[in-house]
Amino acid sequence: MKAPLWASTAGFLIGLVIVWWLQPETTEGAALVILVCTAILTLSGLIVQAVRRKGAPPAAEKGK
Amino acid sequence: MAIATRIFLAGNEPIPGQFGAVAVVIFPNGSSPARLQQVCRAFVAVLDDSRTVSERLPDAAQMVTVWPVRDRGAVPRSGVANSPAEADRICAAAAANYDYLRAQQAQAALPTAERLKPTARGPLLAAWAPGANFGQQRVAILRYDLSGVAGDQRLIDAMRIWKDKIERQPELWQSGWNATKVRLWLSTQVDALGAQIGAAMKLVSAGG
């Protein structure tokens, strides 16, 4: 399953904002924040995508 | 007008009671000298020297924070640091001569819930107002646990929060959380965790 791009991008941007607010003193700290935020949002995007697919009618039935 | 000041007080000198408030920097026994020095540098950088302020303002206007030392002669009497090198010199002496006994006495005077947790690295800043009420319960007490804060700049920021809080009227003291305190704590944790992960990754790559 391909992760939605919007989720990863949003996670990355949120990570940047949090880094700006937290002002960690090390690069490792900043990288950790961005990675965790990107991972969480990407995972959330995958879950949302899976739920939407499950809720949508199958493509074959759609055409009838 | 209240002004936050600092003083290095030796074990045989009584806690001065004439001040508007008296606070103590409390470290648990066996704290690392590096940690003591780091906190001391922020202490010296942010708070004004009490004796210098006493020449111009009445003591009652001072909210003084005490750094307890065992031997008065070991720490420069003026305590004024005009340069980072001088601050380092003062703090090396203040860290080496830190008086854990007096810190324990100050902590014992706090309500149990307000004391440092046994595993905390400190320091805990605790203030009583007015200064004559030092060590008494049922009076205005301000506390700030700096255990979760590390790094020179963050400790300076934390000390500024302390200065800002202690300068307020004691009736308005609040020891609870605020956004800056949360930021300093979180930022320290993120740096520490990042450093641990970085070190672990280096170990793995060196092993492989």
Side-chain angles (χ1 to χ4, degrees):
Chain A
M1 190 186 287
K2 200 178 162 189
L5 187 64
W6 62 264
S8 309
T9 311
F12 181 78
L13 291 176
I14 289 172
L16 281 183
V17 171
I18 294 178
V19 164
W20 169 78
W21 180 68
L22 277 184
Q23 297 170 11
E25 289 183 357
T26 63
T27 318
E28 288 98 331
L32 179 70
V33 170
I34 292 175
L35 273 175
V36 168
C37 288
T38 309
I40 289 174
L41 266 286
T42 304
L43 196 65
S44 309
L46 281 171
I47 292 169
V48 169
Q49 201 178 43
V51 169
R52 274 187 186 163
R53 277 194 185 153
K54 211 175 176 183
E61 284 180 19
K62 236 182 188 178
K64 281 183 186 175
Chain B
M1 183 199 79
I3 183 161
T5 58
R6 62 177 163 79
I7 191 169
F8 294 103
L9 205 67
N12 56 357
E13 293 176 291
I15 297 272
Q18 72 275 25
F19 291 115
V22 168
V24 182
V25 183
I26 301 169
F27 278 96
N29 279 341
S31 295
S32 98
R35 173 82 177 155
L36 282 157
Q37 275 196 49
Q38 201 178 36
V39 173
C40 176
R41 280 198 294 271
F43 175 76
V44 168
V46 174
L47 302 173
D48 294 307
D49 180 55
S50 170
R51 287 191 175 84
T52 312
V53 174
S54 287
E55 291 167 8
R56 301 174 62 189
L57 282 177
D59 287 346
Q62 286 191 47
M63 315 301 252
V64 71
T65 304
V66 173
W67 182 287
V69 289
R70 289 192 305 270
D71 177 11
R72 189 75 194 84
V75 183
R77 187 144 192 96
S78 80
V80 179
N82 294 318
S83 67
E86 206 170 350
D88 281 348
R89 193 171 53 83
I90 292 171
C91 287
N97 282 281
Y98 184 79
D99 189 352
Y100 288 104
L101 185 63
R102 180 161 261 186
Q104 279 178 2
Q105 286 174 336
Q107 178 154 241
L110 282 170
T112 314
E114 304 289 331
R115 295 178 193 166
L116 267 180
K117 291 189 183 78
T119 51
R121 66 174 165 173
L124 171 71
L125 305 177
W128 289 261
N133 284 347
F134 171 76
Q136 290 180 21
Q137 306 217 351
R138 296 171 193 272
V139 295
I141 291 175
L142 179 68
R143 78 188 288 283
Y144 185 12
D145 185 354
L146 294 175
S147 299
V149 182
D152 287 338
Q153 189 53 50
R154 275 191 293 252
L155 281 167
I156 287 175
D157 290 347
M159 206 56 82
R160 285 199 182 117
I161 292 177
W162 175 252
K163 178 179 162 68
D164 178 51
K165 280 185 178 289
I166 201 174
E167 282 179 349
R168 290 180 198 167
Q169 289 181 344
E171 303 85 63
L172 302 176
W173 279 357
Q174 285 180 336
S175 295
W177 289 94
N178 69 22
T180 314
K181 275 186 181 178
V182 172
R183 181 179 69 74
L184 293 173
W185 180 82
L186 256 180
S187 172
T188 305
Q189 307 311 312
V190 158
D191 274 340
L193 190 60
Q196 280 175 7
I197 293 172
M201 283 170 74
K202 272 181 197 157
L203 263 179
V204 169
S205 63

